Amino acid sequence: MGRIDRFEDLEVWKISRELCQLLEHLFQTTELGNNYALHNQMERSSGSIMDNIAEGFGRGGNKEFHNFLSFSKGSCTELKSQFYRSFDKKLITDEDCMKALEMTEHCNNKIGAFMYYLRNTIIRGQKFNNREKE
C-alpha cells in the first residue's frame, strides 16, 4: 500500500460510506424511515463506523488508529443487530435485510483486515507491534 495522506482515500472508509448510503436509501424507501427510534440508533451506529475511521486516521500513530478501528468494528456489530431488529419488526424485507447484513459484514471484515495490516506496517507514526514502547 502506498502512502495515504487523506482518510477519504482509505478503502475501509469508502466501504463504510457506502454502508451509510445504503442505510439512507433504506430510510427513504422502507418503513424503517418511519421508526424514528431505530432510525436514530442506526444513523448513530453507521456514522460511528465512518467517523471513527476518519478520527483514528487523524491521530498520531498506528496503535491509536487501531483502537479507533476497533470502535468501528463494534459499531458494525451494533448495526448488524439493528438490521435484524428492523427485519423482525417488518420494517425491511428479507432481501433488504440480507443485502444490508452482507454489506455490514463486508465492512467489518475489511476493517479487521486493515487492523491486522496496521500491526505490521507504518502508516501513521510508529509501527504497531509488541516491541513498541507504551
Side-chain angles (χ1 to χ4, degrees):
M1 176 183 283
R3 180 179 165 91
I4 296 176
D5 296 315
R6 303 170 349 120
F7 70 83
E8 296 95 330
D9 296 328
L10 292 170
E11 181 183 0
V12 292
W13 186 83
K14 290 175 185 178
I15 292 168
S16 68
R17 184 176 182 201
E18 289 173 17
L19 182 58
C20 286
Q21 291 168 340
L22 171 65
L23 185 59
E24 187 60 37
H25 173 75
L26 292 175
F27 290 154
Q28 294 173 4
T29 61
T30 68
E31 288 299 311
L32 182 57
N34 296 326
N35 185 310
Y36 298 111
L38 196 51
H39 178 286
N40 288 339
Q41 285 183 318
M42 295 176 87
E43 181 73 23
R44 281 193 305 276
S45 296
S46 65
S48 176
I49 298 166
M50 272 180 71
D51 297 345
N52 279 307
I53 293 169
E55 185 173 353
F57 183 83
R59 298 296 177 129
N62 284 10
K63 188 172 185 179
E64 198 165 4
F65 192 7
H66 187 276
N67 289 339
F68 276 86
L69 290 170
S70 180
F71 299 145
S72 288
K73 279 183 68 65
S75 293
C76 280
T77 304
E78 182 179 18
L79 185 60
K80 188 174 177 180
S81 177
Q82 293 162 349
F83 279 124
Y84 280 114
R85 288 175 52 214
S86 299
F87 176 73
D88 291 346
K89 290 176 179 279
K90 299 183 181 6
L91 301 173
I92 58 176
T93 65
D94 183 51
E95 182 180 337
D96 286 336
C97 185
M98 295 312 295
K99 180 178 180 181
L101 291 171
E102 183 179 299
M103 187 174 231
T104 306
E105 190 65 26
H106 175 67
C107 186
N108 195 29
N109 290 341
K110 287 292 188 178
I111 293 168
F114 190 56
M115 290 170 72
Y116 178 80
Y117 177 77
L118 277 182
R119 288 192 295 267
N120 298 301
T121 191
I122 297 174
I123 293 211
R124 305 295 298 165
Q126 290 185 311
K127 195 175 204 179
F128 180 92
N129 61 38
N130 293 335
R131 295 183 302 271
E132 182 181 33
K133 294 181 181 176
E134 300 197 41

